[in-house]
Structures are given as C-alpha cells and as structure tokens.
Amino acid sequence: MTWAGWYRRTVERRRAPAVVLMYHRFTDASPDPWSLGVSAAHFAEHVALLQRAYRPASLAQLAGEVARRRIPRRTVVVTADDGYRDNLHVAAPVLGAQGVPATFFISTGAIDSPGSFWWDELAALILGDHALPADLPLPTGVRWTGASEASEASWTADRPPSTNRDALYLATWQALFRAGPEAQSAAVAALRASIAGSGSRFPTLTGHEVATLARMPFVEIGAHGRTHRPLDHLDGATVAQEVHGSCADLAHLTGRPVHSFAFPHGAHDAGAFAAVRAAGIRVACTTVEGGVHEATTLHALPRIHVRNWSADRLDDVLRWWLGR
Ligand SMILES: [Zn+2]
C-alpha cells in the first residue's frame, strides 16, 4: 500500500462521530503521577470550547444514538471517574452554567471516607516534600535504598521514574494494584505510621454530596465499583458485589436507578461484562483510547483520558479523533 493509502485508511479508521472524555478531579495540585487532575481554569475553558465548537451530549443520549446507528458528528460526552469532592464543587457548577451534561462515575466505598483513595494516600506519603526514613514497611518484593532523593513534582507514571522516590512509588503501586482493599489499606496505614508526611489532599464525596450532585440538572450518576479494584481475574461473587453493590449503594443514596458503569482502572474480562449486563447496566465505559462509532458496543465504550490541557490542546485532540 502506498503511504497516502495507508494514511487515508488509518485516518478513516480513527475518525469517529463521537468521543467520550474521561476526567477525574478538577485541581492541578501535585503529586499527580497518573495525570488525574485538570485545573479549574482549564476545565472552564474545556467546557466553553465544547459548547462553542462541538456537540455536547449526555451518555444516555449517545447510547440511544449508537443503538439507532445515527450519531451526529462532533458529539462529545463528558465523564468523570472515582467521585472526588471537587466534582460537585468545581466541575458541576461549570457544567451547569454552560448546559453541558456529564456522567460522574462514583466508587462507592470511598463515599464518606475521611481519607482518599489508596493510590492518592500512597502518592502523598512517598512523593511528598518530607524526608523518608531509611526503614520503611513495604509490600513484599519492594526494595528501598533509604537514600532519599526529593521527588520531582511533575513526574508522571507514563515516563520512567526520575528519582528513587518515583521508582519506590511505582513499585509499591504495582505491588498493591491487585492486592485487594484490605491489603491496600493496611499497607498505606503501615507507611503512614512510619512517615511524617501529610495525607492526600484529594478528598472524596460524602453521601450527602453525592445526593446533591445527582439532583443537579445535566448530571447523571454512574457506578464505578465499591472498592475500585480491577474487575478482571476475580471470582464471580466478588465481581457481582462490586458491580451490583456499587449500583445499589448509589440507588439508595440518590433514589434513582443506575444505568451506567465505568470499569475501575479500565480492567474488564468476560466475567465483568456478564456482571454489568446482569446488573441492568445500559452503558459501560472502559479506558481504552478511541472514538465511538455506530458499531461500538455499548458495554465497552472507549474514552479519551483528558490531562491538564489548555483548551487549544483539547481542541487538537478532539480534531484528531473527530475530524474538522
Ligand atoms: Zn477510577
């Protein structure tokens, strides 16, 4: 195939009528090794851009259009994962003022939690400004030399670790990723007891705040598991607890049934798909990067992870997926 032919085919395969954006929290505070934060100022610019130059739609609207195989061009859906408190206090007012709909996927085990998610607590402890002691209680297999180099505040885990503290964070995160909620909490508590650092600055929503968010116009609440564990390679009963349990928790808090789900860490397998279908979920989102086409399956919608980009950068990304 010629270069021009290859390019045309690649671009045509990429071009989609719609994309689903994935946000998490609305602050640019560090440490943020997973690029989860978008500043309030950038988010306001993003929403204004969507309203001005694209076609913002709700996830339910897009689902109907996929099912009917008629998606209007330049459709963009806003979603935010996990259930950070700033979703209500920073994002929702901006969305409401611009009339842009959004779905908030909430991990219900974190509701009313005094701390934050284990990966945020871990980042605050290991990547904070304080010194680290030479002797740390670490998960099996994770080694720490004790010679503490200050972490680079802007390090993100899509790059190789730039200091030994970044490397320690990444190794500990990897060791805990599939360890389950009890082991994760225990590991973070042990570290907290030996490190004179502060806790995470990224609080999660209270039950009252979830109910408030759910009542706002343009807002849909979706489920995101109870403990945010990856739902692949798990037994059926645990997956069902995570999927049905988080839907039931949210229905109880908001008084509304839950129709959408986002797989924690994007992890899914046949068992996770089956659980989501059994729970009556209409739309499930992954973290696979991609656009939404008429043939996209509604139980594995790809999404675009939005970083702390300027509106111009977001516009470039959207044009790359949606065309001009
Ligand atoms: Zn998540």
Side-chain angles (χ1 to χ4, degrees):
M1 193 189 303
T2 62
W3 162 257
W6 174 85
Y7 180 80
R8 200 164 48 242
R9 270 191 49 174
T10 307
V11 168
E12 277 164 11
R13 206 175 300 145
R14 186 189 76 211
R15 287 279 154 80
V19 292
V20 181
L21 300 179
M22 173 177 64
Y23 290 88
H24 293 85
R25 58 185 180 233
F26 301 89
T27 165
D28 55 3
S30 59
D32 185 13
W34 303 104
S35 305
L36 302 180
V38 170
S39 73
H42 277 164
F43 185 64
E45 290 171 20
H46 292 185
V47 174
L49 169 72
L50 297 184
Q51 193 56 286
R52 187 174 69 244
Y54 294 89
R55 175 188 174 256
S58 69
L59 198 57
Q61 244 174 309
L62 176 63
E65 289 159 0
V66 171
R68 290 192 298 278
R69 299 192 173 246
R70 289 177 71 93
I71 311 174
R73 289 188 62 237
R74 300 171 74 78
T75 294
V76 181
V77 173
V78 172
T79 69
D81 285 14
D82 297 340
Y84 288 101
R85 187 167 291 165
D86 58 22
N87 290 197
L88 171 67
H89 300 289
V90 180
V94 172
L95 292 158
Q98 295 274 353
V100 170
T103 298
F104 295 93
F105 291 111
I106 295 171
S107 185
T108 57
I111 295 172
D112 288 319
S113 154
S116 192
F117 293 101
W118 69 268
W119 59 86
D120 289 328
E121 298 292 351
L122 191 66
L125 287 166
I126 294 183
L127 302 176
D129 294 332
H130 48 272
L132 286 187
D135 191 24
L136 282 176
L138 291 167
T140 314
V142 180
R143 280 206 297 275
W144 167 238
T145 61
S148 174
E149 302 165 36
S151 179
E152 182 203 324
S154 61
W155 173 70
T156 50
D158 51 1
R159 292 186 287 133
S162 55
T163 69
N164 68 348
R165 282 174 74 152
D166 302 339
L168 176 64
Y169 175 78
L170 197 56
T172 311
W173 184 91
Q174 284 163 345
L176 294 176
F177 177 64
R178 289 191 184 278
E182 291 82 14
Q184 287 160 347
S185 314
V188 167
L191 283 168
R192 193 182 293 119
S194 58
I195 297 173
S198 55
S200 165
R201 283 180 287 169
F202 304 123
T204 53
L205 291 159
T206 64
H208 180 73
E209 287 170 324
V210 172
T212 305
L213 188 60
R215 282 196 301 271
M216 297 178 91
F218 307 108
V219 166
E220 183 201 357
I221 300 293
H224 194 42
R226 270 188 167 149
T227 67
H228 205 282
R229 63 198 302 170
L231 297 184
D232 55 342
H233 311 297
L234 279 182
D235 63 277
T238 308
V239 176
Q241 250 174 39
E242 290 286 332
V243 175
H244 288 264
S246 59
C247 292
D249 295 343
L250 290 168
H252 176 73
L253 274 173
T254 67
R256 290 167 201 196
V258 174
H259 298 303
S260 56
F261 190 86
F263 293 105
H265 302 287
H268 54 275
D269 61 6
F273 279 129
V276 159
R277 287 202 169 88
I281 292 296
R282 287 184 201 147
V283 189
C285 293
T286 68
T287 55
V288 174
E289 290 247 313
V292 177
H293 297 262
E294 279 82 359
T296 302
T297 163
L298 284 177
H299 286 100
L301 280 193
R303 290 188 290 174
I304 310 296
H305 177 167
V306 182
R307 271 101 174 150
N308 189 23
W309 295 327
S310 66
D312 284 348
R313 178 76 196 280
L314 176 65
D315 198 25
D316 287 344
V317 171
L318 289 173
R319 276 188 290 185
W320 197 84
W321 289 104
L322 299 172
R324 279 170 200 283

